[in-house]
Amino acid sequence: MTRLWYGGDYNPDQWDESVWKEDADLMRQAGVNLVTVGVFSWSSLEPSPGVYEFGWLDRVLDRLYDAGVSVDLATPTASPPPWFSRLHPEALPVTADGVRLTHGSRDTYCACAPGYRSAAVGIARALAERYHDHPALAMWHVHNEYGTTCYCSLAAERFRSWLLERYGSLERLNAAWTTAFWSQGYSDWQDVQPPRRTQYLVNPTQYLDYRRFWSDELLAAYREQKAELRALSSLPITTNYVFGGWVPVNHAQWAAEVDVVAIDHYPGRTDLGAEEQTAFGADLARSWAGGNPWLLMEQAAGALNDGQRLHPKEPGRMARNSLSHIARGSTGSLFFQWRASRGGAEMYHSALVPHAGPSSRIFREVVALGAALPSLAEVADAAVVADVAILWDVECWWAMQGTHLPSSSLDYLAAVQDAHRHFWRAGVTVDFAGPSADLSSYQTVVVPSLYLVSDEAAASLAAYVEGGGQLVVGYFSGIVDPDVQVRLGGYPGAFRELLGVRVEEFHPLPADGEVELSSGGRGRLWSEDVEAVSAEVVDRYVGGVLDGKPAITRRQVGEGTAWYVSTAIDFETAAGIYDLSPSPVETVRRRAGDTTWTFYFNHGDAQVDVPTDGVELISGARVDGSLLVPGGGYAVVRSP
Ligand code: GLA
């Protein structure tokens, strides 16, 4: 049976058993069919070393099973109990400044500490042994949001082994890290350290390698737990991805190790930007999943936090954002958390059952969404249709987080988000793709600020153009190789020949500066002294030292076209390149066989009449030629 998952993190160990019965009743009322249990329950499950208390969890799982709610059983390893930190002080994490953290929050462990790793495997094994055949179980959830970094001496040792594996010798490491600069040449492995706080600018390659190393190390920790679960259970195993600049995880690479890609998504914006971020996060998740279905493991039922304060989600937004994820391939909509906590660090985080209880707007909306979702289940396996891909490479992001760049305004994530936003504003769905992905199915591929690129990835992009594709390469691309070393002879090194341009000098703009373009558009952040060697000039800089010089170029390559855009362009300029026009209605198409499902999201205030035929799934109404989508509303139409 195809179904969409609906529910979220359920933390019954925070509540008296008398509340559990109401939980089960309310879950049934809301149509909840999956809850993540035990994700932060280590101290409830193993209150002292080797002493397990499974009785409460037995009763919780039995009750959920009786209520028809499936369980995504989590290993609680993102928050070891206080006794663990007392017995393993060496496993407490150390910051880049050398400060050893103490117990008192979550994620207070170093994943390189052998004591932590064996304790994590131990509790995972104990859970697998006890629950592998419990009938409520639908899925395993390893850990929570892998993403911590530590700079302790145990991490340093692991880092050295990783470097030895990567480079084979100190000689090769010295070459890759350009250690001749500032007398950093290593003659003994013991001298190689994590990029801890230092006097001045950090070595860019050391910095990037530390991120690469942590991704591999955390993946190894995930794999150890997965092996314990797999030994006793054939159910899907996953972990919930968290996305953020601090996260040293290569999610695309990890995707090979999870049975279903699962993400948590909390927009940092609260206005229309939150809608765009929702689309961005979901499109990224789909790319990690290789276009296959994935799962929204967490989002907020209510208020969003912009870092300053909570902003309540206005009526309808929870359902609209849920559908936005489902439109883009999520096989459900799950939340943190089921019932708002009475105390603890996140007591004011919204929940499906708020502090006010079920007699509340949020819970009424939760019930309404739960009632609507089954009618959408038929889309679950259909493929999302996109003709445009935007390149995303986490290693490039990490490299651009170094302290060595020619402008502090250069921001990889922002550049990728800008590109995504241009299409989103025109209501066009895009995929993200990794740098070496097969791009042949796309009409257009956009490459924003791909600062770091391998020879293979550059060759694959060239092959895409030669095969007839339209490639649009953004400013500050192709500059360095995977060792963060400049490709000499003129920027944008790796793409110089393909684009037919040569850049001798960067001209970074002030953070709030703009530059005029001859087309009437404007550039921000960045400009370059571009020479069009074998490319046609499409747009030019106006005024300043670059007056009259090429800003945007185009080169015909075989059947394809390669564009270079040397500044951060506005929507109007992008619209000219991609032939876009702004639309308040975002359209996402899914297809399976001869059937197409179209999701419409109206982000404007006024109702919009969209031309379409078929059946609207939520209302069940027939649509003949035209469908009115109210302002802020959405619709899903199945067409033959
Ligand atoms: C993350 C975590 C949850 C919770 C939420 C709050 O996604 O996984 O445990 O802390 O953030 O936004």
Side-chain angles (χ1 to χ4, degrees), residues 442-516:
Y442 298 107
Q443 282 170 16
T444 299
V445 172
V446 189
V447 181
S449 297
L450 194 66
Y451 170 56
L452 175 146
V453 64
S454 67
D455 292 347
E456 302 75 54
S460 137
L461 289 170
Y464 164 72
V465 183
E466 275 145 24
Q470 167 172 255
L471 183 76
V472 181
V473 175
Y475 62 95
F476 204 57
S477 289
I479 310 289
V480 297
D481 66 15
D483 291 339
V484 202
Q485 291 179 345
V486 171
R487 295 171 175 280
L488 302 175
Y491 316 120
F495 302 120
R496 207 168 51 226
E497 275 180 38
L498 176 68
L499 301 171
V501 299
R502 183 165 177 273
V503 173
E504 288 184 27
E505 275 182 277
F506 300 138
H507 286 251
L509 299 174
D512 56 353
E514 281 196 340
V515 60
E516 212 180 303

Side-chain angles (χ1 to χ4, degrees), residues 482-566:
D483 291 339
V484 202
Q485 291 179 345
V486 171
R487 295 171 175 280
L488 302 175
Y491 316 120
F495 302 120
R496 207 168 51 226
E497 275 180 38
L498 176 68
L499 301 171
V501 299
R502 183 165 177 273
V503 173
E504 288 184 27
E505 275 182 277
F506 300 138
H507 286 251
L509 299 174
D512 56 353
E514 281 196 340
V515 60
E516 212 180 303
L517 304 177
S518 55
S519 61
R522 308 194 77 78
R524 287 178 305 115
L525 298 175
W526 188 257
S527 59
E528 296 173 357
D529 190 347
V530 179
E531 181 195 348
V533 178
S534 57
E536 172 195 345
V537 180
V538 177
D539 213 339
R540 293 181 187 275
Y541 290 109
V542 176
V545 284
L546 298 179
D547 188 42
K549 299 242 177 149
I552 300 179
T553 63
R554 180 173 53 203
R555 177 168 178 251
Q556 204 64 35
V557 183
E559 291 297 294
T561 323
W563 296 68
Y564 186 53
V565 178
S566 67

